[in-house]
Amino acid sequence: NENYMESSKFPKATFKGKILNFDSAKLAAKKAEYQLEGELNMHGVTRKVKTKITLALNAGKITASLLNARSILPELQLE
């Protein structure tokens, strides 16, 4: 939502982190669930986050899906 995110005032969000227990040799077309943890910077505020993602390998490309984006938003305590 552009009103909530204030994208004109805060056009960028960044994430730096890692996928726990990731092994590229085990990627397959079937989605697999992993834990993702790192630091998310949004609205100029950086917070540590942990959440679940799914990864799958199709036609040589890795696709990722965040399972519950709402689970990390309360941790950011945005105003």
Side-chain angles (χ1 to χ4, degrees):
N1 179 320
E2 62 193 34
N3 293 327
Y4 176 73
M5 294 306 299
E6 299 178 285
S7 48
S8 61
K9 187 175 177 182
F10 301 100
K12 289 175 61 176
T14 59
F15 176 81
K16 184 173 183 177
K18 61 184 175 179
I19 302 168
L20 303 179
N21 301 315
F22 177 73
D23 182 351
S24 61
K26 294 182 179 179
L27 279 177
K30 183 178 177 185
K31 291 181 179 179
E33 192 173 295
Y34 293 91
Q35 283 291 123
L36 179 71
E37 66 179 36
E39 293 185 345
L40 178 64
N41 180 289
M42 192 181 303
H43 279 207
V45 175
T46 300
R47 295 283 188 258
K48 290 185 180 195
V49 296
K50 291 182 183 180
T51 192
K52 293 179 182 177
I53 62 168
T54 60
L55 296 177
L57 179 64
N58 291 304
K61 294 182 180 181
I62 298 172
T63 57
S65 299
L66 186 60
L67 293 178
N68 187 0
R70 293 184 186 270
S71 70
I72 63 172
L73 293 178
E75 295 180 36
L76 295 175
Q77 301 172 0
L78 302 176
E79 294 182 7

